[in-house]
Amino acid sequence: MALQINGKTLDTDEEGYLANLSDWEPEVAQVMAESDECDLTDNHWEVINFLRSYYEEYQIAPAVRVLTKAIGKKLGKDKGNSKYLYQLYPYGPAKQACRYAGLPKPTGCV
Amino acid sequence: MPILHTVNKSPFEKDSLETCIAHALDGSAVLLIEDGVYAAANGTVVAPRVRDAMRRLKFYVLANDCKARGLGEDALIDGIEPVDYAGFVDLAVGHDNVQSWL
Amino acid sequence: MFRKKLMYLNRRAPYGTIYAAEGLEVVLIGAAFDQDVCMAFVGDGVYQLKAGQDTSGLGLKSFSPAYRALGDYDVTRLYVERESLEERGLDAGDLMPLTWEDEDDDWAEKSSIHVVDRAELTRLIDAQDVVFNF
């Protein structure tokens, strides 16, 4: 599979995750969200940016349970809960948001 | 020129280094690579064995493999020379043959 | 639910073989099952925790930073065998600092690393329901 961004063709795996982390740019998230019919708000971006910095530090994409706890610590309890995160990312906060953020599929999501 | 021996296994897990030392002629070179670089560290139980072998063999260590494993140059046994990839190539062409102890 | 006591016993150096990387992956995936998990580092396994690993020169992704995420995954007990460190000229100060935050103690940051001697580790292994050897 592949993604067309600004005239470039980016490779993805069979589940739609970017093959090369370094290919990521904000348009990647936009294009993926559009094909999911999802409008990216600031709240969505907050999670995407959080995931990118988490990956930068730990070199792994966090499992949903870990993501929820970490978001709660960084952005407050009203955001660190499954209800809030599933509203933003109905396909699963870790899986869907990691894909938009250009990360691999989360480690520990079964 | 004599043989260049390379060892890529940890001396704590395999006897590759021990066998290499036992079968290397005086004046040969030994290049420690991959997990073999752990043998170059000071203060380990194998360090005395390496120091003893260094009286008749010249020891080198691949710098990037040390760096990957958090083994700093200040932690190496005195007299073991770090080389980069170009240095590896120079050693290989500068010897008659290369023997890999896996 | 009955929680099993699981130990992941790590005996291999990182990078030279795939054991360490795969073992860590299994720990992170297994953490989803909410069991009583600990890790032990024996023999060359202690090298997995060595501070200052930098694989940029190998053109290889380092999985060393992922050990720091173990606390987030509720893996908070890492036993390192003292004799294995000593044989390799190392002590606790040569290892990367790994911590976890104790939710029940006002998120106090606590060290995950426990250096134990061989006899103590032997008892710990004996007390497990399952030991996974990598």
Side-chain angles (χ1 to χ4, degrees), chain C residues 16-65:
Chain C
T17 64
I18 198 71
Y19 287 92
E22 289 292 317
L24 181 60
E25 181 90 8
V26 170
V27 173
L28 294 173
I29 292 169
F33 296 103
D34 190 32
Q35 303 293 311
D36 182 4
V37 172
C38 68
M39 295 174 82
F41 297 84
V42 179
D44 279 354
V46 302
Y47 284 132
Q48 293 179 28
L49 303 179
K50 180 82 178 61
Q53 297 174 42
D54 173 7
T55 58
S56 56
L58 302 189
L60 187 75
K61 183 181 143 178
S62 173
F63 54 93
S64 175

Side-chain angles (χ1 to χ4, degrees), chain A residues 24-95:
Chain A
W24 191 84
E25 49 189 297
E27 283 73 18
V28 168
Q30 292 288 6
V31 170
M32 287 178 173
E34 275 163 31
S35 75
D36 290 342
E37 295 180 358
C38 164
D39 283 327
L40 290 185
T41 64
D42 287 350
N43 288 336
H44 288 91
W45 279 108
E46 202 170 44
V47 177
I48 291 172
N49 291 329
F50 178 87
L51 281 169
R52 288 192 61 80
S53 61
Y54 192 94
Y55 192 89
E56 180 75 21
E57 186 171 355
Y58 298 110
Q59 299 289 301
I60 56 168
V64 60
R65 180 173 61 83
V66 174
L67 171 70
T68 309
K69 202 162 78 177
I71 291 255
K73 218 185 132 223
K74 180 103 184 284
L75 305 172
K77 276 262 188 296
D78 54 326
K79 292 179 174 174
N81 63 77
S82 328
K83 188 164 172 255
Y84 172 80
L85 292 170
Y86 269 93
Q87 271 166 359
L88 291 176
Y89 294 103
Y91 297 107
K95 285 182 190 171

